[in-house]
Amino acid sequence: SQQGEEDPQALSIQEGENATMNCSYKTSINNLQWYRQNSGRGLVHLILIRSNEREKHSGRLRVTLDTSKKSSSLLITASRAADTASYFCATRSGGGFGNEKLTFGTGTRLTIIP
Amino acid sequence: DTAVSQTPKYLVTQMGNDKSIKCEQNLGHDTMYWYKQDSKKFLKIMFSYNNKELIINETVPNRFSPKSPDKAHLNLHINSLELGDSAVYFCASSRVPGQPATNEKLFFGSGTQLSVL
């Protein structure tokens, strides 16, 4: 069954504003990752946060994780037109060698209006 | 220079046909995956292989048969195609042996859009 669900499903903001996307999941995780997918392309890894971490930064990205609420948020600051894409959270499960799998959420479609 | 490449990018075929999608990665990874993305953008894992060995086989019809001739290649063969097979299929890879810090993120190909008519 689907692990993660993103909220909102779609988000439109003006260039320069901040964009926040949320992800909720159902079971215990080892880590949570965020990916970006541009139209017609594959997914690109953005950032990973481990289950024992609460916040992580990478450039204009800030990710938080609340394992008690089984939720995560992705903040993109000072948005740019190039940030227009779909954003997916993915949770990692499976601890055996080579048995890792990522279960993806439903995605948030972000549109930056120039 | 493409890290994970899959062919073809587009595949249009009739119901009942058999088709294959090929995937190759030049990252030295030993784990490869097939994911299916439906029209609602939901991405679901189908298979994973580690060093040519099948590790994950989700509930996928046995019309889908992955084949890994070596750890750099993972192909997907689909028999008797059905309308519901129409989707975008993504190949991905991960895990450089001996480098655990890099093992946890996936590198995706650009996808194969399959349309069954």
Side-chain angles (χ1 to χ4, degrees):
Chain A
S1 64
Q2 185 176 311
Q3 169 73 315
E5 293 196 13
E6 281 90 337
D7 168 55
Q9 288 189 338
L11 178 63
S12 293
I13 60 172
Q14 295 288 333
E15 192 168 18
E17 294 180 340
N18 296 342
T20 300
M21 289 159 269
N22 302 298
C23 168
S24 60
Y25 57 92
K26 296 175 183 173
T27 62
S28 296
I29 61 171
N30 295 332
N31 64 57
L32 185 144
Q33 305 178 32
W34 285 89
Y35 287 76
R36 183 187 72 225
Q37 183 180 31
N38 289 88
S39 182
R41 307 296 295 272
L43 281 75
V44 175
H45 180 268
L46 294 176
I47 194 166
L48 179 154
I49 187 165
R50 300 189 187 283
S51 59
N52 61 354
E53 297 176 311
R54 292 296 166 257
E55 187 171 312
K56 203 156 183 184
H57 297 253
S58 176
R60 294 184 296 112
L61 305 179
R62 173 176 166 250
V63 169
T64 62
L65 179 64
D66 187 336
T67 52
S68 66
K69 295 181 179 178
K70 292 186 168 58
S71 67
S72 172
S73 67
L74 171 67
L75 168 68
I76 303 174
T77 60
S79 63
R80 305 168 182 169
D83 294 330
T84 294
S86 292
Y87 291 82
F88 295 86
C89 69
T91 52
R92 179 179 179 269
S93 61
F97 180 79
N99 194 31
E100 303 87 355
K101 76 174 180 180
L102 285 185
T103 304
F104 285 82
T106 51
T108 293
R109 175 70 191 167
L110 175 65
T111 302
I112 307 300
I113 304 165
Chain B
D1 281 291
T2 304
V4 181
S5 59
Q6 48 182 114
T7 55
K9 186 167 177 60
Y10 300 98
L11 188 52
V12 181
T13 188
Q14 298 286 333
M15 245 181 3
N17 284 350
D18 303 338
K19 290 293 178 186
S20 292
I21 307 171
K22 295 185 176 182
C23 179
E24 174 182 6
Q25 54 92 6
N26 62 6
L27 297 167
H29 290 164
D30 63 1
T31 304
M32 296 184 72
Y33 311 79
W34 279 109
Y35 277 83
K36 177 181 179 180
Q37 187 173 45
D38 63 22
S39 58
K40 296 182 178 179
K41 301 296 185 186
F42 178 53
L43 202 67
K44 183 173 170 59
I45 189 168
M46 300 173 69
F47 303 102
S48 81
Y49 270 73
N50 179 262
N51 207 11
K52 302 193 297 177
E53 181 183 349
L54 180 65
I55 301 296
I56 294 172
N57 183 349
E58 294 291 291
T59 307
V60 177
N62 57 15
R63 297 182 295 104
F64 290 78
S65 52
K67 284 188 172 58
S68 182
D70 55 63
K71 71 176 191 177
H73 295 83
L74 180 61
N75 304 323
L76 183 65
H77 188 77
I78 314 170
N79 289 328
S80 303
L81 279 155
E82 300 177 357
L83 294 176
D85 298 332
S86 296
V88 182
Y89 292 84
F90 286 98
C91 176
S93 69
S94 70
R95 180 180 280 276
V96 177
Q99 297 187 30
T102 65
N103 284 348
E104 305 194 62
K105 64 181 184 180
L106 267 58
F107 292 77
F108 281 83
S110 56
T112 295
Q113 185 169 328
L114 172 64
S115 299
V116 183
L117 307 177

